């Protein structure tokens, strides 16, 4: 009886893992579905708090390229070093949405058809921020860049397209590397920490 119960539990766990892997594979089967899946996950489950910590990064890692994962992880380490030496100030990546032009982040998104060039894809994303019980009818468009890695479409970057006074401009990778490559002796940050990223 005990063996039978253990076998049943093992089979249930295996089925759960296979189902999770299948869902991840479905999400990255096309650039458009990968982008839509990422933002729906971001809006539903991630706090709007800049660079993700370990659990948050683990939640989205399967939709990101190894390089973007590494950049975000390094940004979180930078914030931790900043807080350890300057606890009264705010680190650069502790607040605000990194994945869109708007500081608050979108409340709704609609990924558009992709433009493809071999193993690179560009997906325009219509983004909306609903507030005060009213739907945002105007919105803005950011463009997500993806790489095809081992047959899966993974998010590599975000090109910010909004025009907000306190929002992001340029691209996500640039926002991260511009700060992370800069040495800061007070933080014991050399700027060489990014060398570990592929």
């Amino acid at each position: 009886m005990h063996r039978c119960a253990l076998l049943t539990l093992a089979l249930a766990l295996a089925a759960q893992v296979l189902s999770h892997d299948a869902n991840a594979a479905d999400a990255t089967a096309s650039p458009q579905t990968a982008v839509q899946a990422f933002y729906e996950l971001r809006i539903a489950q991630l706090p709007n708090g800049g660079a993700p910590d370990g659990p948050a990064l683990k939640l989205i890692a399967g939709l990101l390229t190894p390089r973007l994962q590494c950049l975000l992880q390094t940004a979180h380490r930078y914030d931790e070093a900043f807080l350890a030496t300057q606890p009264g100030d705010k680190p650069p990546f502790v607040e605000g949405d990194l994945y869109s032009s708007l500081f608050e982040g979108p409340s709704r998104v609609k990924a558009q058809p992709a433009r493809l060039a071999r193993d690179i894809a560009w997906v325009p994303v219509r983004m909306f921020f609903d507030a005060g019980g009213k739907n945002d009818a105007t919105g803005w468009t950011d463009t997500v860049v993806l790489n095809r890695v081992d047959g899966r479409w993974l998010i590599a970057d975000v090109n910010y397209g909004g025009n907000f006074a306190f929002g992001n401009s340029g691209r996500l990778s640039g926002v991260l590397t511009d700060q992370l490559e800069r040495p800061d002796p007070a933080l014991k940050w050399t700027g060489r920490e990014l060398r570990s990223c592929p």
Side-chain angles (χ1 to χ4, degrees), residues 19-42:
S19 172
H20 180 270
D21 290 346
N23 289 341
D26 288 346
T28 57
S30 79
Q32 191 173 351
T33 57
V35 169
Q36 190 69 35
F38 171 79
Y39 281 101
E40 286 179 2
L41 188 61
R42 151 75 187 89

Side-chain angles (χ1 to χ4, degrees), residues 32 111-115 122-124:
Q32 191 173 351
Q112 306 298 305
R115 180 169 62 90
W122 295 264
V123 176

